[in-house]
Amino acid sequence: MFSVYFIQDNVQKEIGLLEDQAQLEGLIRAIEEVCPLENIEGDYFIHKKDLPDYGEIHFHGHKIPLSRFEFPLEDDIYIQGQPLRDLSQEGQGYGDGYLVIENYAIPAGEVQAYIRDREAAYQRVKSALEDRGFQVSRSLQGSEDGEAIVLEKEGCQQWYFAALDPAFVADLPQDEQAFQAMLDDYLQE
């Protein structure tokens, strides 16, 4: 099952539910009959200037109104088909879905390990930098790049050290000498 939406910034318009990928592709073709779509690596979007004043998407006997007036911004409108699990049926563990952790999509089955590793990475960096005389905190949660490690030293303003993103967590050296060298490199930047 897929839940399908039009999304523009914080405006989300639910289109409906579809059974499978083939139906989602059929809906995409039906939308293209009303206005042109752009496809970038499997992500579809509509340029607002291409929306009609009023149009109707015809799909499986349904009429879905579409108007440029329902979207308040000039930004592109994305078409998102979000896979849904049927929780009324017997499960098979984690589904194919993802959780978004600070703007990064993490596969559902890996979220617990990622969060554990992320928190351990933060604590390790925090401890090492505090040993060097810095005040260390977390900030920028919800920003475009996600939460970050922020430093402060007496007499200086706060400054950004590193984003707590998947690459930072994965690339943190386990070897203590390499870890200390990495901290030195980050502090030089």
Side-chain angles (χ1 to χ4, degrees), residues 10-25:
N10 291 327
V11 174
Q12 182 170 302
K13 177 186 176 188
E14 185 174 314
I15 300 170
L17 292 175
L18 299 172
E19 284 289 325
D20 54 31
Q21 184 70 33
Q23 284 189 348
L24 181 59
E25 291 167 5

Side-chain angles (χ1 to χ4, degrees), residues 31-32 35 39 45 47 49-50 61 63 88-89 93 105 109 122-123 128 131 135 139 142-143 151 168 181-184:
I31 295 169
E32 286 179 312
C35 62
N39 177 357
F45 62 92
H47 299 292
K49 66 178 178 51
D50 294 334
K63 293 180 182 179
S88 67
Q89 302 297 316
Y122 171 71
Q123 290 301 324
D131 288 348
Q135 293 176 342
S139 187
S143 68
L151 303 180
F168 179 79
M182 183 220 69
L183 293 179
D184 291 338

Side-chain angles (χ1 to χ4, degrees), residues 26 32 59 116 135 153 159 173:
E32 286 179 312
F59 185 73
R116 180 196 64 228
Q135 293 176 342
K153 202 163 194 173
W159 74 92

